[in-house]
Every structure is written in structure tokens, then in C-alpha cells.
Amino acid sequence: MQTINDYCNVTRRDNGIAQLTITNAGPLNIMNSAVIHGVREGLELLGKDRDVRVLIVRGSGETSMIGGADIKEMATLDQVSAEKFITGLRDLCEAVRQFPTPVIARLRGWCLGGGLEFAAACDLRIASQEAKFAMPEVKVGIPSVIHAALLPRLVGWGRARWLILTAATIDAPTALNWGLVDQVVSEADLDEAITTAASAIAECGPEAMRNQKALLREWEELPLTESINLSVGVFGKSFLTGEPQRHMQAFLDRRK
């Protein structure tokens, strides 16, 4: 295990799977300014590591990955400091959204507000059956902002409105039915399910996977025709890496 800073550490496996654990953020892994900065620093450091093929993010303990932003700190803010605080949280969520390889959110227990925004910015979300999800900001006098904008893309406008405007809490089966999470398993099976997904990603060509994630991010922003045409050049350049030749030949050899 490598300690990156006071608020995150990382463990690595030989197959390119890395796991970042949020630390020293209380039992619910609450995001104050120091934690936000520390976790972002960890993500940026790991993002430069070409040996990382897939990243798992989890909180320390089993109560939550990220329980939300720190209400105690937010209660002391004025307009200027509020914008500084939310900019930091935005940059953290954007660091995971733009991470160069796929990121899997390990979701157990509570996933609230800023924690749900962070999870939405990850590529895959795997939850335990007991996980709970909510966007409770309006209950404490603030709107849901920044990466809450991803929610309509995940669950549709109607369900996003329901979550954000009513501050309702939904359970894991509902989150799965809505498309908010990708898989729900028992608490006992959570780590095995995440390892299975991470291993499947790690077995793929690393450069192909980096290109695929970059394309997915482009597709989120671009019109359909532009997205299709952009892909042609990416496909061609992938043959410069040698990965298609190696993987396709290995596939052909297995069929003999």
C-alpha cells in the first residue's frame, strides 16, 4: 500500500488494477476542502501512471464511499468562499471523470449529494444491496450543482428531477432499475463483483481502453454525426500502437 497523502492511499495489483481509498474523512468519508484537495491530488498522480489500467475508488470503512460534502464547513461560507469550495469539488469530480482509464465506484452504505455527483462522474458504479442514494442539497438550502448535471444523462430528466427536487432517498434496487448504478450485489459479494469487472477491463489492450474512454467522453459532448466521424481517425491511429495486431493474432491463434 502506498500513502499518497493524509486523505488517500493506493494499492496496486500486478495486472494493472489500482484501488484508491479515501482516508481520514470521518466514518462517512465527508468531503471538506482538505479532503477534496487530497483526493484530487491522488487522482492526478495516478492518472500519470501508465501502468494503471483500471482504478477502483472506495471509502475507508463500510459506511460509504463518499457521504457528501461537509455541511459544517459549508455553513460558514459566504458567496466568495462558497464558489471557491464548490469549484474545488467540481475539480475533484472532473478529475475522476477525465481520468485516462476506466474508474469503478465501490458503493456501500450512503451515497449522498457530492458523493453521488462523484460516483456519477465515474465510469462504472457497483453497489451493495444495502446502499442508499440521495441528492439532499435543497433540504439544507442549496441547489444541487456541478456534476449533478450528469444525472439526466444517467437516469433521464424525470427521475433526475425527482431526485433533485424532492431530495428523496432511493435504495440500490431502485438505483439499478433507473440506471444510476450498473450492478447490485450482496455486501459479501461486492468486492468479488468489482474485481471481476476490473479484471475484464485490465485484460483488454491498455491503449485501446484509454482511447475508448476518451471517445466516450467526446460522445457525451458532441452531436451524433460528429461523434461518428471523429471515431474514424481514432480507429486508424490505434493500429500505430501494435495492440490490434497482437490481440487479433492471439484471437486467431486460439481458433486454430
Side-chain angles (χ1 to χ4, degrees), residues 11-254:
T11 55
R12 302 167 187 264
R13 305 177 196 174
D14 292 339
N15 59 355
I17 298 174
Q19 178 172 271
L20 183 147
T21 301
I22 299 166
T23 59
N24 296 316
L28 281 173
N29 297 302
I30 297 297
M31 295 281 107
N32 61 30
S33 292
V35 178
I36 288 169
H37 176 78
V39 176
R40 180 186 172 192
E41 180 182 66
L43 288 168
E44 291 176 345
L45 179 65
L46 288 171
K48 298 174 183 176
D49 187 342
R50 304 287 300 188
D51 291 331
V52 175
R53 296 191 176 193
V54 56
L55 178 66
I56 301 164
V57 179
R58 61 161 296 164
S60 57
E62 300 295 347
T63 308
S64 69
M65 180 184 73
I66 297 173
D70 189 354
I71 293 177
K72 289 182 180 179
E73 180 175 354
M74 289 191 291
T76 68
L77 302 178
D78 57 21
Q79 180 181 355
V80 173
S81 57
E83 290 183 6
K84 181 179 179 181
F85 177 86
I86 203 63
T87 297
L89 185 56
R90 179 203 65 189
D91 292 347
L92 170 63
C93 292
E94 198 61 14
V96 75
R97 194 175 79 90
Q98 299 293 347
F99 196 81
T101 60
V103 181
I104 301 173
R106 180 189 186 273
L107 301 173
R108 186 170 179 180
W110 294 98
C111 186
L112 307 174
L116 183 49
E117 292 169 31
F118 182 93
C122 295
D123 298 286
L124 299 174
R125 289 160 291 280
I126 301 178
S128 70
Q129 290 176 338
E130 293 75 16
K132 305 288 186 184
F133 305 86
M135 296 295 293
E137 284 90 339
V138 291
K139 285 188 174 181
V140 293
I142 53 175
S144 294
V145 294
I146 55 171
H147 289 69
L150 293 170
L151 295 179
R153 293 167 167 81
L154 293 173
V155 303
W157 278 103
R159 286 166 173 166
R161 287 189 184 99
W162 182 264
L163 278 173
I164 292 169
L165 297 180
T166 71
T169 299
I170 62 172
D171 59 17
T174 301
L176 179 63
N177 182 53
W178 286 12
L180 186 59
V181 300
D182 302 295
Q183 188 177 7
V184 172
V185 298
S186 69
E187 290 191 359
D189 294 333
L190 181 58
D191 288 319
E192 182 181 354
I194 291 171
T195 296
T196 297
S199 297
I201 293 169
E203 289 172 1
C204 299
E207 294 306 314
M209 191 59 70
R210 286 172 175 264
N211 287 334
Q212 190 64 78
K213 174 158 181 180
L215 272 176
L216 284 166
R217 291 294 175 253
E218 294 277 4
W219 293 346
E220 288 176 351
E221 305 288 344
L222 296 174
L224 178 58
T225 299
E226 192 173 346
S227 295
I228 292 169
N229 292 335
L230 172 70
S231 305
V232 172
V234 176
F235 181 82
K237 289 178 181 178
S238 70
F239 283 80
L240 297 174
T241 69
E243 282 186 1
Q245 295 88 334
R246 291 194 300 272
H247 285 265
M248 290 179 187
Q249 189 59 54
F251 174 80
L252 293 171
D253 290 344
R254 288 195 298 270

